[in-house]
Amino acid sequence: MDLDVYVTAHRAEWDRLDHLLRRGGRLTGAEADELVALYQRTATHLSVIQSSAPDPMLTARLTQLVARARATVTGTRRSSWRDAAAFLTAGFPAAVYRSRHWWVPTAVLSTLVAVLIGWWIGTHPEVQAAIGAPADLREMTRPGGQYETYYSSHPAASFAAQVWTNNAQAAAMCLVLGAFLGLPVIGILFVNMLNLGVGIGLMTSAGRLDVFLGLILPHGLLELTAVFVAAGTGLRLGWTLIDPGPTTRRAALAERGRAAVGMAIGLALVLFLSGLIEGFVTPSGLPTWGRIGIGVAAELAFLAYVWILGGRAARAGDTGDVEEGDRSAELPTAA
């Protein structure tokens, strides 16, 4: 393609579009229609130039022109409480529901790994000796030891805030690092399951597994579910690099990446609730069945929220992505 000829043929259209954009809202109906048509044609011109005869200065000019035109055509939209409500009742649960084929197997396999590690440690004294000195292990697992006092060692409010911050960071890392083929996510998940397995194994060897479960289950059910959702979503994002599906790799990553950002916000709220349970319920004087009952109720409520509200929204076409008008425009591809 002769770039000079192409520019000469279309320069007048670009200049006209720039002129209409500079006039802002002072356009007649006919001029507004003309602006939309020029925006569409200029976007196509930009695609042609990028694919056939890329020129940095011209591409930069047209990219800016197309961006300005798109902002004018689509307008700006302010977020409102209605957006927040739509996110919590449809967008977030739909995104979690649609990724269930990733995070449910992740949850099952991870739990199995933690149980196997716990069994291995609990039935092999030599492994326990490698973890710590016998006196230190007894101090950790005895009645009133470190495993029990951990949840009441700080004021409930500050402890809940600390737990929430740590878990939210872990979930966010799983979502963000999923783009690296999911490999860092596996490492983060294994470290979490290793810590859980060590606790199971040491308390089992001390004959106090029931106490450990009474401490971990009230908050752990919801907390681990949130981590599994984040990890499964991160792995799904990593798999998108390998198999983007029917769309381009860039478009698939953009869609699932935006949904992952939304899920990070939603999971932060879930982990906040888990942190409250860990800070106020787990160390409370409630009987074990009462504490575990609260944890089970919170877990069942979250699963019902995902399967009922999320399933309904997903069947209606909600993917957890942002509104179409808020997405970056994809330029047409030249044949």
Side-chain angles (χ1 to χ4, degrees):
M1 181 184 75
D2 190 321
L3 183 60
D4 292 334
V5 173
Y6 194 82
V7 170
T8 301
H10 299 290
R11 185 191 299 275
E13 294 177 290
W14 306 337
D15 291 341
R16 175 60 176 168
L17 176 60
D18 182 65
H19 173 72
L20 292 175
L21 290 173
R22 290 180 185 278
R23 290 182 55 187
R26 300 185 302 275
L27 299 176
T28 64
E31 288 173 333
D33 292 340
E34 182 186 6
L35 188 148
V36 172
L38 288 172
Y39 158 59
Q40 295 172 335
R41 288 204 293 270
T42 303
T44 302
H45 298 160
L46 175 57
S47 178
V48 171
I49 291 172
Q50 286 178 321
S51 60
S52 303
D55 177 88
M57 294 184 63
L58 182 59
T59 298
R61 182 203 170 189
L62 293 183
T63 299
Q64 184 183 39
L65 190 60
V66 168
R68 289 168 54 205
R70 179 178 185 272
T72 301
V73 170
T74 60
T76 57
R77 186 177 63 84
R78 294 183 178 180
S79 298
S80 64
W81 287 109
R82 183 176 299 176
D83 296 320
F87 169 74
L88 292 176
T89 58
F92 172 58
V96 177
Y97 180 83
R98 290 174 67 91
S99 63
R100 68 193 185 282
H101 298 302
W102 284 89
W103 64 262
V104 171
T106 297
V108 173
L109 291 175
S110 299
T111 303
L112 181 60
V113 168
V115 171
L116 290 175
I117 292 175
W119 170 83
W120 181 53
I121 294 174
T123 56
H124 292 76
E126 66 276 12
V127 177
Q128 300 168 29
I131 295 175
D136 293 336
L137 298 183
R138 284 194 298 271
E139 177 61 27
M140 292 173 62
T141 59
R142 68 175 177 82
Q146 295 176 14
Y147 269 119
E148 291 186 39
T149 59
Y150 169 76
Y151 296 102
S152 56
S153 57
H154 299 87
S158 62
F159 183 69
Q162 178 184 352
V163 168
W164 174 57
T165 301
N166 293 339
N167 290 330
Q169 288 177 345
M173 288 176 63
C174 286
L175 292 168
V176 172
L177 297 178
F180 296 92
L181 295 178
L183 296 178
V185 177
I186 297 175
I188 295 172
L189 202 55
F190 179 76
V191 169
N192 277 271
M193 293 305 101
L194 178 62
N195 291 334
L196 178 60
V198 169
I200 292 174
L202 293 180
M203 291 296 275
T204 298
S205 67
R208 309 191 69 233
L209 179 61
D210 56 333
V211 175
F212 181 76
L213 294 179
L215 292 170
I216 201 74
L217 289 180
H219 63 274
L221 290 172
L222 189 59
E223 176 185 298
L224 287 175
T225 299
V227 172
F228 293 147
V229 170
T233 303
L235 293 173
R236 183 190 184 199
L237 188 61
W239 183 253
T240 302
L241 287 169
I242 301 172
D243 181 14
T247 62
T248 64
R249 183 171 283 103
R250 179 179 178 181
L253 277 174
E255 177 186 345
R256 292 175 185 173
R258 289 189 299 263
V261 171
M263 289 180 70
I265 299 172
L267 290 176
L269 297 176
V270 175
L271 288 168
F272 177 71
L273 176 59
S274 171
L276 290 179
I277 296 175
E278 187 168 0
F280 292 93
V281 176
T282 298
S284 71
L286 291 173
T288 300
W289 64 265
R291 288 184 279 112
I292 293 179
I294 292 175
V296 171
E299 173 73 0
L300 292 177
F302 176 71
L303 294 178
Y305 164 73
V306 170
W307 254 262
I308 296 175
L309 290 184
R312 181 187 306 156
R315 287 188 291 272
D318 199 324
T319 64
D321 199 356
V322 297
E323 296 291 336
E324 185 174 359
D326 295 329
R327 303 173 195 170
S328 298
E330 290 187 43
L331 295 175
T333 302

